[in-house]
């Protein structure tokens, strides 16, 4: 995973010697293939290079055009590089190399800010336009590559990570109390703020223009809610899906080294490995080979998927490497938050460290995984609202008949009422009915009452909730699209992807997600909900499309591994610290009685469920502030 950094003073003062070099040095592990810089007066740019494709062997950055009027730094990959190359040559562009970075620079020369319409892939980039004295910044459509920045009206400081920005001495060091309240409540809303005041992140699918006149952020891509696929029969959707995932795996497998693939044994990662193996055998895989890796949880029945992962290897006639989960000590998290200047991450994210280090040691630079499958393939009973709202009576009857056969007529009719008729009622009527049901049951969810946070933090959280809930989505769209839009805009998922990306980068690997591309997401938004969830079969279209590729026992699988066991060893030794030490030390954050009740809720749920996430969030926030208190004083 490469990295970018830079400082631009729009008031004309020069960048101090060594400043941008210190920024890239703070994330040196992102540049195993070299770290280079470009400086001209008030502009200093840096790039840490990790070469992951054959074309990247010809790439040098920062990259300029012939007269240095444009300078590019990019952490990224162009997945439609063949098509884009042909398009640019047709426009008369002169390409000096085959590098993806040059394609992006030339695309900006040809189309300006509209170049993003022509570029598909994962990227975070900045192009300095010396003639216009303007910086053009962009982040890929799905937010796979990070882009953090600080703007004070005169200076732009940006980087792939937080630490280089905070260390630059150009940013006042203070904590964003609103984001802190979100973490403490395990209730995330903001996608563009960080734990540091004034340090922002560019949101997925957004571009940013910065000049002496100011900063403007725009959304350049979002799923088209009205794009219709030209299919009438379910079989046509299934055939198209098979082509889509095959092409996605092919494009994202481009590498000059063997590509690694995470094989958990679930439907998603197993399919990616099996499709990649088919491509390899037919000599259509743009990589010299593939290697599969799985984590062996033989001592944890809740997480153990080893039998399924082994069946993938048996089906393909290949070996899936089995590695024990990484068990880091509690001190690891304190050290991490000191190093990265961010929340230390959740414990479940550390269990793959050994696997990533092994894949990197064996020569891989890119690793594919099944992230995106749960988000875009896992359906719901929303098909009742969808078919009912579109007056598709025949499809509605088919859904009802399928559910009746699998679960009985009574349950099917209940779902028709709950997920069909109820969801089509006006929002005021739905809210009133929900209130009546909750009052009758006498329960309030933790989302409505983060009872463990202090009164001041609760006020900040309430303000966040009001602002978030006040944001209106599209007035008209399918009910299932509302759920997918909520997934796309989920602040926690965005944070989790960035944390995972950083862990991969530290191992010298670029994560690639064939089921999390813009094309894959657009297909999900254009697909009838009934093809994602049918009867008792989740991810229906995925299973039907790849039934001849995936092992039969995985096709029939309807369970998922759970990982509460990764939290238990840590939370079990933190009991007194959570109930006594932390509430006393952080009285401005927490209610002592509330935290005790939260610990009790965790124990009552047999040490799993949402309380464990909230407890770890509290502990992680304490680690973060403890690590940086002296800098904030």
């Amino acid at each position: 995973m490469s990295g970018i950094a830079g400082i631009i003073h729009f008031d004309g003062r020069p960048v101090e010697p060594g400043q941008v070099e210190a920024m890239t040095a703070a994330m040196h592990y992102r540049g195993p293939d070299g770290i280079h810089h470009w400086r001209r007066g008030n502009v200093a740019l840096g790039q840490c290079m990790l070469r992951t494709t054959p074309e990247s062997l010809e790439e040098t950055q920062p990259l300029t055009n012939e007269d240095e009027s444009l300078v590019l730094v990019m952490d990224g990959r162009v997945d439609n590089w063949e098509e884009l190359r042909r398009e640019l040559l047709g426009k008369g562009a002169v390409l000096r190399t085959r590098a993806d970075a040059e394609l992006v620079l030339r695309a900006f020369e040809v189309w300006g800010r509209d170049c993003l319409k022509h570029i598909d892939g994962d990227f975070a980039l900045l192009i300095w336009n010396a003639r216009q004295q303007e910086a053009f910044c962009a982040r890929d459509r799905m937010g796979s590559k990070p882009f953090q920045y600080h703007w004070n009206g005169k200076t732009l400081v940006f980087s792939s990570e937080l630490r280089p920005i905070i260390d630059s001495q150009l940013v006042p060091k203070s904590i964003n109390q609103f984001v802190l309240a979100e973490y403490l409540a395990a209730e995330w809303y903001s996608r563009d703020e960080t734990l540091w005041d004034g340090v922002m992140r560019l949101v997925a699918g957004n571009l940013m223009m910065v000049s002496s006149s100011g900063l403007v952020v725009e959304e350049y891509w979002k799923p088209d809610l009205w794009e219709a696929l030209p299919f009438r029969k379910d079989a046509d959707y299934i055939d198209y899906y098979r082509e889509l995932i095959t092409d996605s795996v092919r494009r994202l497998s481009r590498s000059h080294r063997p590509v690694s693939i995470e094989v958990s044994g679930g439907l998603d990662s197993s399919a990616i490995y099996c499709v990649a193996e088919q491509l390899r055998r037919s000599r259509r895989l743009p990589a010299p080979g593939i290697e599969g890796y799985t984590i062996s949880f033989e001592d944890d029945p809740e997480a153990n998927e080893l039998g399924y992962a082994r069946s993938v290897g048996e089906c393909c006639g290949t070996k899936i490497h089995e590695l024990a989960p990484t068990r880091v000590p509690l001190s690891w998290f304190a050290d991490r938050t000191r190093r990265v200047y961010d929340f230390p991450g959740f414990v479940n994210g550390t269990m793959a460290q050994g696997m990533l280090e092994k894949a990197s040691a064996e020569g891989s630079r890119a690793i594919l995984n099944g992230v995106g499958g749960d988000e875009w393939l896992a359906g719901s009973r929303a098909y009742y609202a969808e078919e009912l709202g579109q007056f598709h009576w025949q499809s509605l009857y088919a859904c009802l008949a399928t559910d009746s056969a699998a679960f009985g007529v009574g349950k099917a009719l209940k779902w028709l009422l709950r997920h069909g008729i109820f969801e089509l009622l006006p929002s005021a009527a739905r809210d009133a009915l929900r209130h009546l049901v909750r009052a009758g049951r006498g329960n309030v969810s933790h989302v409505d009452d983060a009872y463990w946070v202090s009164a001041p933090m609760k006020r900040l959280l309430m303000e966040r909730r009001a602002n978030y809930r006040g944001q209106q989505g599209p007035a008209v769209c399918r009910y299932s699209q509302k759920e997918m839009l909520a997934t796309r805009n989920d602040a926690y998922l965005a944070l989790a992807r960035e944390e995972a990306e950083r862990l991969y980068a530290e191992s010298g690997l670029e994560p690639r997600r064939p089921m999390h591309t813009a094309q894959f997401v657009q297909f999900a938004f254009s697909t009838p909900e009934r093809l994602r969830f049918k009867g008792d079969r989740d991810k229906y279209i995925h299973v039907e499309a790849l039934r001849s590729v995936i092992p039969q026992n995985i096709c029939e699988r309807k369970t998922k591994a759970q990982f509460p066991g990764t939290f238990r060893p840590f939370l079990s030794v933190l009991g007194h610290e959570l109930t006594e030490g932390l509430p006393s030390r952080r009285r401005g954050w927490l209610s002592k009685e509330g935290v005790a009740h939260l610990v009790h809720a965790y124990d009552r749920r047999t040490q799993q469920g949402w309380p464990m996430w909230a407890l770890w969030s509290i502990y992680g926030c304490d680690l973060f502030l403890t690590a940086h208190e002296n800098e904030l004083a």
Side-chain angles (χ1 to χ4, degrees):
M1 184 66 67
S2 297
I4 59 175
I7 301 168
I8 304 174
H9 292 306
F10 286 89
D11 57 3
R13 63 191 172 101
V15 178
E16 293 182 12
Q19 271 192 309
V20 74
E21 289 83 357
M23 293 179 73
T24 53
M27 51 179 183
H28 60 89
Y29 46 82
R30 288 179 176 268
D33 294 317
I35 299 176
H36 298 93
H37 307 91
W38 183 93
R39 291 175 296 277
R40 296 292 186 275
N42 64 315
V43 181
L45 307 175
Q47 199 258 0
C48 306
M49 177 65 74
L50 173 71
R51 304 189 191 280
T52 67
T53 68
E55 292 71 29
S56 68
L57 299 176
E58 303 179 28
E59 186 171 301
T60 57
Q61 289 193 50
L63 179 67
T64 71
N65 62 354
E66 285 73 10
D67 63 0
E68 293 196 351
S69 60
L70 296 176
V71 191
L72 164 76
V73 284
M74 179 177 80
D75 168 21
R77 187 188 69 254
V78 177
D79 292 329
N80 65 329
W81 70 277
E82 293 168 303
E83 296 93 328
L84 181 56
R85 184 179 180 85
R86 286 194 297 268
E87 202 173 0
L88 287 169
L89 291 172
K91 291 286 186 179
V94 177
L95 300 176
R96 299 166 294 187
T97 69
R98 298 186 306 149
D100 290 8
E102 180 157 14
L103 294 177
V104 172
L105 187 66
R106 298 306 187 189
F108 185 81
E109 283 186 319
V110 172
W111 294 295
R113 60 193 293 172
D114 287 338
C115 66
L116 298 173
K117 298 176 182 177
H118 302 263
I119 300 168
D120 175 38
D122 296 339
F123 54 82
L125 60 88
L126 180 141
I127 298 176
W128 171 243
N129 187 330
R131 290 197 180 103
Q132 300 295 326
Q133 289 291 290
E134 185 175 65
F136 170 77
C137 316
R139 191 175 180 190
D140 65 81
R141 292 163 178 80
M142 300 308 298
S144 296
K145 303 284 189 175
F147 189 103
Q148 330 274 2
Y149 68 94
H150 169 72
W151 168 249
N152 64 9
K154 293 181 179 180
T155 296
L156 175 70
V157 189
F158 71 93
S159 176
S160 297
E161 297 191 8
L162 285 172
R163 180 174 182 173
I165 296 174
I166 305 300
D167 272 354
S168 70
Q169 305 301 316
L170 296 168
V171 181
K173 294 179 181 178
S174 62
I175 300 301
N176 185 325
Q177 296 294 317
F178 284 99
V179 174
L180 179 62
E182 293 182 20
Y183 271 96
L184 290 171
E187 188 177 330
W188 292 271
Y189 293 111
S190 175
R191 290 194 296 154
D192 64 348
E193 298 176 63
T194 72
L195 276 164
W196 296 92
D197 262 333
V199 182
M200 309 293 286
R201 55 171 51 87
L202 192 59
V203 174
N206 278 222
L207 63 83
M208 183 170 73
M209 308 294 294
V210 191
S211 69
S212 58
S213 300
L215 177 151
V216 178
V217 177
E218 296 178 8
E219 184 177 50
Y220 72 86
W221 182 86
K222 60 184 176 182
D224 185 348
L225 303 183
W226 306 108
E227 180 176 290
L229 295 169
F231 307 136
R232 293 187 176 182
K233 297 184 295 185
D234 289 358
D236 295 331
Y237 282 96
I238 292 169
D239 289 342
Y240 180 81
Y241 176 83
R242 187 183 304 110
E243 296 172 5
L244 174 67
I245 192 170
T246 300
D247 188 58
S248 187
V249 171
R250 181 187 66 82
R251 286 176 181 267
L252 270 66
S253 295
R254 179 169 57 112
S255 181
H256 62 300
R257 302 273 191 94
V259 171
S260 294
I261 302 176
E262 298 177 36
V263 185
S264 69
L267 280 165
D268 308 325
S269 61
S270 298
I272 288 169
Y273 183 86
C274 292
V275 168
E277 176 60 15
Q278 279 198 336
L279 288 166
R280 186 192 67 80
R281 290 181 182 181
S282 61
R283 299 189 178 184
R284 292 184 293 149
L285 188 80
I290 62 173
E291 295 290 340
Y293 296 88
T294 193
I295 303 177
S296 170
F297 289 97
E298 289 186 288
D299 59 345
D300 186 350
E302 294 173 294
N304 187 16
E305 298 180 283
L306 197 55
Y308 292 107
R310 286 172 177 169
S311 70
V312 171
E314 292 167 3
C315 177
C316 294
T318 58
K319 180 181 179 181
I320 306 296
H321 303 284
E322 300 172 8
L323 292 99
T326 301
R327 313 285 190 189
V328 300
L330 194 59
S331 60
W332 183 91
F333 295 96
D335 179 62
R336 181 165 182 75
T337 197
R338 280 192 295 271
R339 287 187 291 108
V340 302
Y341 282 56
D342 204 353
F343 185 81
F346 288 89
V347 296
N348 60 318
T350 65
M351 60 189 181
Q353 268 193 301
M355 179 183 70
L356 300 180
E357 291 168 1
K358 174 69 172 176
S360 180
E362 293 295 324
S364 287
R365 289 292 181 87
I367 184 165
L368 278 62
N369 61 41
V371 170
D374 288 342
E375 290 93 331
W376 312 118
L377 293 176
S380 69
R381 306 290 173 191
Y383 49 71
Y384 281 113
E386 187 172 289
E387 303 300 340
L388 191 60
Q390 297 180 70
F391 307 110
H392 291 168
W393 307 117
Q394 188 173 352
S395 296
L396 178 65
Y397 176 77
C399 293
L400 193 62
T402 300
D403 286 342
S404 296
F407 302 101
V409 175
K411 184 162 283 190
L413 290 173
K414 180 180 177 181
W415 287 335
L416 173 62
L417 287 171
R418 169 63 186 87
H419 301 286
I421 295 171
F422 173 80
E423 294 299 340
L424 296 176
L425 292 173
S427 59
R430 293 200 308 273
D431 291 343
L433 285 171
R434 287 192 186 103
H435 180 74
L436 286 173
V437 170
R438 287 178 182 172
R441 292 176 178 172
N443 62 352
V444 179
S445 72
H446 81 286
V447 173
D448 291 321
D449 185 19
Y451 51 79
W452 54 91
V453 300
S454 66
M457 283 295 169
K458 188 68 171 289
R459 284 193 290 272
L460 296 177
L461 191 64
M462 293 294 286
E463 187 174 335
R464 277 298 212 227
R465 289 175 182 169
N467 291 339
Y468 177 79
R469 291 173 180 174
Q471 296 173 9
Q472 297 297 317
V476 180
C477 68
R478 301 200 317 266
Y479 175 67
S480 60
Q481 289 180 330
K482 293 180 182 179
E483 294 183 336
M484 287 190 288
L485 283 170
T487 297
R488 177 183 180 253
N489 299 330
D490 188 282
Y492 171 72
L493 290 178
L495 289 171
R497 282 193 291 271
E498 287 192 6
E499 170 60 19
E501 186 274 347
R502 191 161 50 204
L503 287 168
Y504 284 95
E506 290 170 352
S507 297
L509 290 170
E510 178 181 68
R512 300 181 183 177
R513 307 174 178 98
M515 304 174 85
H516 199 65
T517 64
Q519 294 88 344
F520 201 92
V521 172
Q522 183 59 63
F523 175 78
F525 274 85
S526 303
T527 303
E529 186 70 2
R530 67 177 185 273
L531 288 174
R532 275 187 287 276
F533 200 5
K534 180 170 286 192
D536 62 348
R537 175 70 269 172
D538 198 8
K539 302 182 180 179
Y540 174 80
I541 189 171
H542 178 76
V543 172
E544 291 304 306
L546 300 173
R547 189 174 288 279
S548 63
V549 176
I550 309 172
Q552 186 62 29
N553 64 330
I554 294 177
C555 284
E556 295 172 354
R557 186 180 180 187
K558 296 171 185 175
T559 60
K560 285 187 69 66
Q562 302 296 325
F563 301 98
T566 60
F567 285 82
R568 288 179 192 136
F570 298 103
L571 294 179
S572 64
V573 300
L574 289 174
H576 185 268
E577 172 68 1
L578 288 168
T579 56
E580 298 293 334
L582 258 171
S584 299
R585 198 162 60 249
R586 307 296 183 194
R587 292 179 182 176
W589 292 3
L590 303 166
S591 157
K592 184 174 182 179
E593 297 76 13
V595 175
H597 184 65
L598 182 63
V599 171
H600 178 66
Y602 171 64
D603 291 334
R604 191 172 67 248
R605 288 172 175 258
T606 61
Q607 299 185 339
Q608 57 186 330
W610 63 262
M612 68 185 184
W613 297 92
L615 289 168
W616 186 262
S617 288
I618 293 169
Y619 181 67
C621 287
D622 180 65
L623 289 180
F624 171 76
L625 193 62
T626 300
H628 302 292
E629 273 177 321
N630 291 336
E631 299 167 78
L632 295 166

